[in-house]
Amino acid sequence: DIRRRIVGDCHPFQADGVRDPHELVVFRVGRGGAKTPTKRARALIKLISLQRVRIGYAATSKEQARDLMWDKIKETCEAYGITKEFHFLDAPMQMTCIRTGSIYKLRGVEDKRDAEKFRGFPQSEFQIDEAGSFPPELLRYLIEDCVQPRIGEAMSLRFLDDILDRNTFPHPDI
């Protein structure tokens, strides 16, 4: 089973993050701690396993989203021999699993207008990469105003990283 292969290829602490069922998952790991590959594994497993889910991914810029996740997730699909299971749209950085109809949408979020593009879509998972590099007000707006109102309609999960070291996350629950 491809899901077992993906988890089996993870470092033990990555595998814990891939399998974690909690609503809010935070990695308190420094640079090079494999947070982004863990998110990639989580997304692939959900895309091939669950029917018609949406997973959002935000980076601080479109270029960063492409460099950190988009190019690498396509390489990962190729390495696992599952590229044919997906339809890839390069310009909007969106991949759809043909069998399940599940969608992974990557965006750069440089301002409120970019954040608004996540508004209105129920998502089963929302991943924020390099959250500590976002301006705190933009990060708050992205999560609280654009994503959080609809994330409860799906399998509620937000994925944040790189935030505790910088103490920039404005949410009172953390």
Side-chain angles (χ1 to χ4, degrees):
D1 178 50
I2 190 68
R3 292 170 291 213
R4 290 182 196 269
R5 283 183 54 208
I6 292 169
V7 173
D9 287 345
C10 292
H11 185 279
F13 78 82
Q14 284 177 291
D16 289 344
V18 171
R19 290 189 294 253
D20 194 310
H22 290 92
E23 183 175 311
L24 176 63
V25 179
V26 177
F27 281 142
R28 188 173 187 174
V29 179
R31 292 219 179 269
K35 299 175 295 288
T36 303
T38 302
K39 292 174 200 168
R40 188 168 29 257
R42 287 180 68 89
L44 276 176
I45 289 171
K46 286 187 180 213
L47 290 169
I48 62 176
S49 303
L50 302 173
Q51 294 292 316
R52 293 178 297 284
V53 299
R54 293 182 68 96
I55 301 170
Y57 172 91
T60 57
S61 70
K62 187 174 183 177
E63 294 78 21
Q64 188 179 39
R66 183 171 303 284
D67 291 345
L68 291 175
M69 186 63 76
W70 182 248
D71 293 337
K72 289 181 176 63
I73 200 163
K74 292 193 312 184
E75 292 169 7
T76 301
C77 288
E78 190 172 314
Y80 283 116
I82 58 174
T83 303
K84 291 182 181 179
E85 290 195 37
F86 294 95
H87 178 68
F88 295 92
L89 296 173
D90 281 318
M93 289 189 286
Q94 178 175 306
M95 62 188 283
T96 304
C97 181
I98 297 165
R99 185 174 42 80
T100 65
S102 294
I103 297 170
Y104 194 29
K105 180 68 176 168
L106 289 71
R107 293 189 186 279
V109 178
E110 296 182 42
D111 55 31
K112 284 186 173 184
R113 194 177 78 217
D114 292 333
E116 287 283 333
K117 294 174 183 172
F118 284 113
R119 184 184 290 278
F121 298 103
Q123 299 180 68
S124 65
E125 180 160 323
F126 189 76
Q127 303 172 340
I128 300 174
D129 220 337
E130 302 297 336
S133 297
F134 279 86
E137 288 302 316
L138 180 57
L139 183 61
R140 181 182 299 120
Y141 181 77
L142 172 64
I143 294 169
E144 294 179 2
D145 293 347
C146 298
V147 176
Q148 196 167 352
R150 298 281 315 261
I151 202 160
E153 296 174 28
M155 296 169 8
S156 182
L157 177 66
R158 294 164 307 220
F159 212 111
L160 308 173
D161 76 348
D162 194 28
I163 55 176
L164 296 175
D165 293 340
R166 295 182 183 213
N167 295 318
T168 58
F169 189 62
H171 200 279
D173 293 339
I174 294 183

